[in-house]
Amino acid sequence: MSESKKPGLLLIGAGQILTSMIVSGFLLGYLLDLYFETQPIFILILGGLGFIGGFLKVYRLLTDPELQ
Amino acid sequence: MTWNLDTIFISIALGALMVVVGGRVARNATDGVPGGFQNFVESILEFVQTQVKDSFPGHNPLIAPLALTIFVWVWLMNFMDLIPVDLLPLIGSWLGLPYLKVVPTTDLNTTLAMALVVFGLTLFYNIKVKGLGGYLKMFLFHPFGKFAMPANIVMTAIEEVAKPLSLGLRLFGNMFAGELVFLLIALLGGAAALGAGLLIWFPLQVVLDLAWLLFHILVITLQAFIFMVLTIVYLGMAHTTDH
């Protein structure tokens, strides 16, 4: 496998990684809230974590692709 | 529960078309000088094979056929966008169909279903290659090391869910937006239904439609390519133990 090509191809989706991480954070938070009936605690926490995680992931992808 | 019969029917029909045409080409394939169509199919095969070789570690006989199926099937479904937007619904209305969605990939159900299949395969190979323990270890220690386990679990879960979500939503978003632009362009000439004077916009519709059509050929190919490549990359990640 040529290691150099994989991260390059992952960069195609860098824009969507950020948004989809935020959306999936809210989604998981919503489901957890439904399950534990704790609205709106988890949706806020996981949404925030998704936001941070999305930024982190895109930052890492753009600065050091080999990390991913 | 609602069944989107138009989406199901058209996607299955396109899948069948792919299988039948592919089968015919395979039956009539020659070792000698290939005909035009065989040449074309072989070039697609070679293209997909190169992508798999470049971005997939190790060996799995499932990946190349899966990638090929995804690429060709998604491309065919996207291609329905290039048929004049109201032609098939018009024919459908003659046959008594009140509503017909021609492009299966402008239906979120199709794209998310395909993304979920890829996600299922990723889960399967993650557990098969890394073992259940190895996969769970990734959840426990992945982004921040062993001192932030709860955050790690949540973060990795979000990351894993984000993969199929972005895969499905990207294809849906691009195709839906493309279809919408076709509809808006069609409305330029369609406005003449209000009065013949509005036919003045018709030349503009022709020019814009042609331009968007040519550009859209690139978009549908690119989206099919991205879906295929990301499938290969995600499955490749599932096959590496040092994630």
Side-chain angles (χ1 to χ4, degrees), chain A residues 1 3 6 8 10 14 16 18 20 27-29 31 34-35 41 43 45-46 48 52-54 58 60-62:
Chain A
M1 175 198 178
E3 275 291 333
K6 190 185 87 178
L10 262 182
Q16 282 96 1
L18 175 61
S20 55
L27 199 72
L28 283 179
L31 292 177
L34 268 190
Y35 188 74
I41 297 177
I43 196 169
I45 295 176
L46 267 69
I52 298 167
V58 172
R60 281 192 192 155
L61 205 63
L62 293 177

Coordinates of all heavy atoms in Angstrom, one line a residue, chain A residues 1 3 6 8 10 14 16 18 20 27-29 31 34-35 41 43 45-46 48 52-54 58 60-62:
Chain A
M1 N 0.8 -1.2 0.0 CA 0.0 0.0 0.0 C 0.9 1.2 0.0 O 1.8 1.3 0.8 CB -0.8 0.0 1.3 CG -1.7 1.2 1.5 SD -2.1 1.3 3.2 CE -3.0 2.8 3.1
E3 N 1.4 4.5 1.4 CA 0.8 5.3 2.5 C 0.5 6.7 2.1 O -0.4 7.3 2.7 CB 1.9 5.3 3.6 CG 1.8 4.0 4.5 CD 0.5 4.0 5.4 OE1 0.0 5.1 5.7 OE2 0.1 2.9 5.7
K6 N -3.5 7.4 0.8 CA -4.6 7.3 1.6 C -5.1 8.6 2.3 O -6.2 8.9 2.1 CB -4.4 6.2 2.7 CG -5.6 5.8 3.5 CD -5.3 4.9 4.6 CE -5.0 5.6 5.8 NZ -4.7 4.7 7.0
G8 N -4.4 11.6 1.4 CA -4.8 12.5 0.3 C -6.2 12.3 -0.1 O -7.0 13.2 -0.2
L10 N -8.5 10.9 1.9 CA -9.4 11.2 3.0 C -9.6 12.7 3.0 O -10.7 13.2 3.5 CB -8.7 10.9 4.3 CG -9.1 9.5 4.9 CD1 -8.4 9.3 6.3 CD2 -10.6 9.5 5.2
A14 N -12.7 16.2 4.0 CA -12.3 17.0 5.2 C -13.4 18.0 5.6 O -13.7 18.2 6.8 CB -11.0 17.7 5.0
Q16 N -16.6 17.8 5.1 CA -17.8 17.1 5.7 C -17.5 16.5 7.0 O -18.5 16.2 7.8 CB -18.4 16.1 4.7 CG -19.2 16.6 3.6 CD -18.3 16.8 2.4 OE1 -17.1 16.5 2.4 NE2 -18.9 17.3 1.3
L18 N -16.1 17.7 9.6 CA -16.4 18.7 10.7 C -17.9 18.7 10.9 O -18.4 18.4 12.0 CB -15.9 20.1 10.3 CG -16.3 21.2 11.3 CD1 -15.8 21.0 12.6 CD2 -15.8 22.5 10.7
S20 N -20.3 16.6 9.9 CA -20.9 15.3 10.3 C -20.5 14.9 11.7 O -21.3 14.2 12.3 CB -20.5 14.2 9.3 OG -19.2 14.1 9.2
L27 N -26.8 13.9 17.4 CA -27.6 12.7 17.2 C -27.5 11.7 18.4 O -28.5 11.2 19.0 CB -27.2 12.0 15.9 CG -28.3 11.1 15.3 CD1 -29.4 11.9 14.8 CD2 -27.6 10.2 14.2
L28 N -26.2 11.4 18.7 CA -26.0 10.4 19.8 C -26.5 11.0 21.1 O -27.1 10.3 21.9 CB -24.5 10.1 19.9 CG -23.9 9.2 18.9 CD1 -22.4 9.0 19.1 CD2 -24.6 7.8 19.0
G29 N -26.2 12.3 21.3 CA -26.7 13.0 22.5 C -28.2 12.9 22.6 O -28.8 12.7 23.7
L31 N -30.2 10.7 21.3 CA -30.6 9.3 21.6 C -30.4 9.0 23.1 O -31.2 8.3 23.7 CB -29.9 8.3 20.7 CG -30.2 8.4 19.2 CD1 -29.4 7.4 18.4 CD2 -31.7 8.1 19.0
L34 N -33.0 10.6 25.1 CA -34.3 9.9 25.0 C -34.3 8.7 25.9 O -35.2 8.4 26.6 CB -34.4 9.4 23.5 CG -35.2 10.3 22.6 CD1 -35.5 9.5 21.3 CD2 -36.5 10.7 23.2
Y35 N -33.1 8.0 25.9 CA -33.0 6.8 26.7 C -33.0 7.1 28.2 O -33.8 6.4 29.0 CB -31.7 6.0 26.3 CG -31.6 4.7 26.9 CD1 -32.4 3.6 26.5 CD2 -30.7 4.4 28.0 CE1 -32.3 2.4 27.0 CE2 -30.7 3.2 28.6 CZ -31.4 2.1 28.1 OH -31.3 0.9 28.6
I41 N -29.2 17.5 28.7 CA -27.8 17.4 29.1 C -26.9 16.8 28.1 O -25.9 17.4 27.6 CB -27.8 16.6 30.5 CG1 -28.6 17.4 31.5 CG2 -26.3 16.5 30.9 CD1 -28.7 16.7 32.8
I43 N -27.4 16.0 24.9 CA -27.3 16.6 23.6 C -26.3 17.8 23.6 O -25.6 18.0 22.6 CB -28.7 17.0 23.1 CG1 -28.7 17.2 21.6 CG2 -29.3 18.2 23.8 CD1 -30.1 17.4 21.0
I45 N -23.7 18.2 25.8 CA -22.4 17.7 26.0 C -21.8 17.1 24.8 O -20.7 17.4 24.3 CB -22.3 16.7 27.2 CG1 -22.7 17.4 28.5 CG2 -20.9 16.1 27.3 CD1 -22.8 16.4 29.7
L46 N -22.6 16.1 24.2 CA -22.1 15.4 23.0 C -22.0 16.3 21.8 O -21.1 16.1 21.0 CB -22.9 14.2 22.7 CG -22.4 12.9 23.4 CD1 -22.5 12.9 24.9 CD2 -23.0 11.7 22.9
G48 N -21.2 19.5 21.9 CA -20.0 20.2 22.1 C -18.8 19.3 21.8 O -17.8 19.8 21.2
I52 N -15.8 19.9 19.1 CA -14.4 19.9 19.4 C -13.7 18.8 18.6 O -12.6 19.0 18.0 CB -14.1 19.7 20.9 CG1 -14.8 20.9 21.7 CG2 -12.7 19.6 21.2 CD1 -14.9 20.6 23.2
G53 N -14.3 17.6 18.6 CA -13.7 16.5 18.0 C -13.5 16.7 16.5 O -12.5 16.4 15.9
G54 N -14.6 17.3 15.9 CA -14.5 17.6 14.5 C -13.4 18.6 14.1 O -12.6 18.3 13.2
V58 N -10.1 17.5 11.8 CA -9.8 18.2 10.6 C -8.4 18.8 10.7 O -7.6 18.8 9.8 CB -10.9 19.2 10.3 CG1 -10.4 20.1 9.1 CG2 -12.2 18.6 9.9
R60 N -5.9 17.8 12.6 CA -4.9 16.8 12.5 C -4.7 16.3 11.1 O -3.6 16.0 10.6 CB -5.3 15.6 13.4 CG -5.0 15.8 14.8 CD -5.1 14.5 15.6 NE -5.1 14.8 17.0 CZ -5.6 14.0 17.9 NH1 -6.2 12.9 17.5 NH2 -5.5 14.2 19.1
L61 N -5.9 16.1 10.4 CA -5.8 15.7 9.0 C -5.1 16.6 8.1 O -4.3 16.2 7.2 CB -7.3 15.5 8.5 CG -7.6 14.6 7.4 CD1 -7.3 13.2 7.9 CD2 -9.1 14.7 7.0
L62 N -5.3 17.9 8.4 CA -4.7 18.9 7.5 C -3.2 19.1 7.8 O -2.4 19.4 7.0 CB -5.4 20.2 7.6 CG -6.8 20.2 7.0 CD1 -7.5 21.6 7.2 CD2 -6.8 19.9 5.6

